[in-house]
Amino acid sequence: MYNEVRPGQSVGEAALILQQPRAADVTAMRDSTLAVLSRANFEALLIRYPLALSRVFAQANFHWVRDVRKVVEQRYAHSVVVIGLHDGIGAHEVADCLAKAFARCGRMHHFQPPQDNATEAAVFDVDRQNELDEQFDFLVYEAGPGLSPWARRAFRQADQVVFVASMGALTSLGPLERGFMEEPGFPMKRKHLVLLHSATATVPGDVGSWRDESRFERVYPIRSRHQGDFSRLSRFLTGSAVGVVLGGGGARGFAHVGVLQALEEAGVPVDLVGGNSMGALIGAQYVCGVSLADILTQTQRFAAGGERLTLPLISIVSGRRVERDLKSMFGDITIERLWRPFFAAACNLTKGVTTAQDTGLLWRAVLASNSPAGLFPPVLHKGQLLVDGAILDNVPVEAMRMRLGTALEKRRGNGTIIAIDVGVPDALRVDPSLARLSPWHTLASFLPGTRTSPGIGDILYSAGHVGSVSQRARTMAQSDHYLEPPVAGFSLMGYKHAQAISEVGYRYAQEKIAQWKQLNSAPWEVVQ
């Protein structure tokens, strides 16, 4: 989207005057009344009122030149229509709960369908819509069942569409959706799907079939009357969702637990989670609903399990123990069956790119993200080789930005990214007098008073992070808040210090959050 045209504004002046094709298309997203000025009428008016018309068009072109490189900030209501795909089932509940979520953030008005199924003439006109845009921050239209005149009109006044279906309903295109597809502006509206679950549901149903349809920007599994789920939906609709990215860093990754605790205590919502390596392991447990205390003890126990050496034809260790314990930790949970979106980053050696794994078995995605090349065997996926993502991107902010920012208008914002980097780069150095490394130098470095000589683990770790270090500045620039807990004093293998590392992350995050609030740079809705 390039720009937005508000009531009373004009568009296309330069093309009219210069008799050139327009540089962009203009689409009416809502019912609109247009006044069209042809070239012939423009020339006739110019002859009759040369000074007045020249001033008008000069002013219009001045505004165009001033705003040519930016989208003008427009203050008007977020407008959403809620439509039940199957005879309106669930639409009233979703509209009501969404309206309450919006009301906690600003001025909201909820339009319910007229009891007598009013005709088009009985519905407010375009001027009334403009008044509502100025009066409220959020407008929720409840379409009601069927393709009534009210439902069609409500659809045309909304910028976004939230379709509602019950879990287990047919995914095929139905007559109701086909009917709305005939309405003007349908292709341009952002379309979402809420899959409504029972209030007691512990795990979402399989939403993969709905996502495969590609009819919706995003599919949201939501529990009936669940305030947290509807608040998350409202943030996605308004471009204010919060994505948290957890980087890799061995035992230093326990700082993530402390940061998450500080975010929770400050009421900062976490709507999406992405991670790499240790960050993926902690993030996966977090989106599964494991408490932070249990994440700490469970991860510490997992890390203490060790691994067996193997014939070093593919890797130094076999990775079988890690795979077994991850299977035990996550079972048959798939990423699609989580209440909150999640991805685990991995480096795709076959394609030479970072792969954000957001489908399939959760344990397999975490395993791939925790398989350093050379140390662990690659995880195979459709004939491709996946390893720890730190080779290219240890803090996968770009993947998070894609999930927050795609299809969102610039004016609405594209969410907030909080990135947590615990991958403190350790300088890899040796005694300057050495001409070459040897196993004896490495063994001798374990003796007291001897200079450190890197072993194969140190070399593989540094080699596996070269790409991440080189693009660190870019990663920081893509984040809204980039946190670097001071954990350099802890060893990468210092898993016995889990509690202390977590405490460092907690205190550090508390200070940063206090600064955000002081600077008023926290655009999210505080979770009550």
Side-chain angles (χ1 to χ4, degrees):
M1 189 191 70
Y2 171 73
N3 213 330
E4 296 177 341
V5 183
R6 293 280 284 140
Q9 293 180 344
S10 59
V11 63
E13 304 88 352
L16 175 67
I17 295 171
L18 300 175
Q19 293 184 284
Q20 294 179 348
R22 281 192 46 75
D25 292 328
V26 180
T27 300
M29 295 290 290
R30 302 175 179 175
D31 285 349
S32 306
T33 300
L34 305 181
V36 181
L37 181 62
S38 68
R39 174 70 186 188
N41 287 333
F42 167 70
E43 292 177 349
L45 286 172
L46 191 59
I47 292 172
R48 295 180 61 184
Y49 311 103
L51 185 58
L53 201 60
S54 295
R55 285 175 177 170
V56 170
F57 277 82
Q59 185 70 26
N61 278 289
F62 167 76
H63 288 299
W64 179 84
V65 171
R66 184 187 64 178
D67 301 321
V68 69
R69 293 187 178 180
K70 67 177 182 178
V71 175
V72 181
E73 178 72 12
Q74 305 284 8
R75 297 287 183 183
Y76 62 91
H78 292 269
S79 180
V80 179
V81 62
V82 180
I83 301 172
L85 282 178
H86 305 100
D87 297 324
I89 295 175
H92 174 69
E93 177 183 338
V94 171
D96 181 57
C97 291
L98 183 58
K100 290 176 180 176
F102 282 145
R104 289 190 288 270
C105 307
R107 300 165 301 167
M108 184 281 307
H109 190 73
H110 179 189
F111 292 96
Q112 299 190 36
Q115 295 297 321
D116 58 353
N117 201 16
T119 62
E120 187 93 13
V123 183
F124 52 81
D125 57 18
V126 174
D127 290 335
R128 172 62 174 151
Q129 176 71 36
N130 297 334
E131 294 175 6
L132 293 168
D133 276 333
E134 300 294 337
Q135 187 179 355
F136 296 101
D137 301 307
F138 308 97
L139 300 175
V140 177
Y141 296 92
E142 185 179 336
L147 284 165
S148 66
W150 161 264
R152 290 183 179 274
R153 185 65 182 270
F155 176 86
R156 294 200 302 273
Q157 305 319 308
D159 300 323
Q160 301 187 66
V161 186
V162 175
F163 289 109
V164 181
S166 299
M167 192 62 230
L170 295 176
T171 62
S172 57
L173 196 67
L176 185 68
E177 193 175 351
R178 292 182 192 276
F180 283 111
M181 290 174 66
E182 298 174 357
E183 291 292 333
F186 180 87
M188 299 293 293
K189 294 182 186 290
R190 291 175 56 199
K191 293 171 280 291
H192 313 262
L193 176 68
V194 165
L195 284 179
L196 202 56
H197 292 65
S198 70
T200 57
T202 55
V203 179
D206 185 8
V207 302
S209 56
W210 284 100
R211 287 181 176 146
D212 292 342
E213 291 291 313
S214 301
R215 307 195 317 254
F216 313 104
E217 179 180 310
R218 197 184 296 273
V219 178
Y220 307 84
I222 286 183
R223 287 159 286 194
S224 177
R225 298 290 172 182
H226 192 283
Q227 177 179 322
D229 288 354
F230 281 100
S231 293
R232 185 176 306 119
L233 172 63
S234 71
R235 288 189 291 272
F236 274 112
L237 295 178
T238 57
S240 57
V242 179
V244 175
V245 183
L246 312 176
R252 294 165 179 166
F254 285 117
H256 294 316
V257 178
V259 173
L260 290 170
Q261 180 184 350
L263 293 176
E264 284 188 356
E265 291 180 359
V268 179
V270 178
D271 299 309
L272 302 88
V273 177
N276 179 63
S277 195
M278 184 63 138
L281 176 59
I282 290 175
Q285 296 173 76
Y286 188 71
V287 294
C288 286
V290 181
S291 70
L292 292 173
D294 288 344
I295 290 176
L296 199 67
T297 56
Q298 191 168 269
T299 305
Q300 190 174 25
R301 185 167 58 249
F302 169 83
E307 190 55 85
R308 289 185 178 183
L309 296 174
T310 187
L311 188 64
L313 297 177
I314 300 173
S315 59
I316 294 176
V317 300
S318 68
R320 293 188 180 277
R321 195 280 305 176
V322 170
E323 179 177 331
R324 181 199 68 216
D325 287 359
L326 287 176
K327 286 181 178 178
S328 175
M329 184 181 295
F330 296 112
D332 59 355
I333 298 174
T334 60
I335 299 177
E336 297 92 325
R337 301 187 68 181
L338 295 169
W339 297 112
R340 277 183 285 196
F342 170 80
F343 69 85
C347 176
N348 189 317
L349 293 179
T350 304
K351 295 184 176 181
V353 298
T354 296
T355 296
Q357 306 165 92
D358 56 7
T359 60
L361 289 166
L362 184 58
W363 71 262
R364 182 181 290 274
V366 175
L367 175 63
S369 192
N370 281 271
S371 297
L375 186 60
F376 280 73
V379 172
L380 304 183
H381 177 68
K382 298 180 180 179
Q384 300 169 7
L385 283 70
L386 304 182
V387 296
D388 190 317
I391 294 178
L392 295 176
D393 197 354
N394 191 43
V395 189
V397 170
E398 185 174 1
M400 180 63 77
R401 180 58 70 195
M402 291 176 63
R403 281 155 179 76
L404 277 176
T406 51
L408 291 176
E409 301 106 322
K410 186 84 170 180
R411 174 182 59 80
R412 298 299 195 190
N414 53 2
T416 299
I417 292 181
I418 301 173
I420 309 166
D421 186 357
V422 295
V424 184
D426 291 322
L428 200 63
R429 295 188 177 92
V430 296
D431 189 332
S433 64
L434 292 178
R436 67 187 303 273
L437 290 175
S438 73
W440 305 113
H441 291 127
T442 301
L443 287 173
S445 68
F446 289 100
L447 299 175
T450 308
R451 290 193 179 186
T452 301
S453 184
I456 187 171
D458 302 312
I459 295 170
L460 286 175
Y461 181 84
S462 295
H465 285 71
V466 168
S468 296
V469 172
S470 66
Q471 74 158 16
R472 195 159 179 263
R474 179 185 176 189
T475 302
M476 294 175 69
Q478 290 182 315
S479 307
D480 296 288
H481 300 289
Y482 199 84
L483 305 183
E484 300 175 90
V487 291
F490 297 96
S491 166
L492 289 169
M493 303 302 291
Y495 295 105
K496 63 181 180 180
H497 302 296
Q499 187 63 52
I501 297 172
S502 174
E503 185 64 27
V504 168
Y506 173 70
R507 292 197 302 269
Y508 171 83
Q510 279 188 316
E511 295 176 1
K512 290 298 181 180
I513 293 170
Q515 293 175 13
W516 301 345
K517 293 180 178 178
Q518 185 177 2
L519 297 172
N520 196 27
S521 59
W524 50 77
E525 166 208 353
V526 174
V527 176
Q528 300 298 330

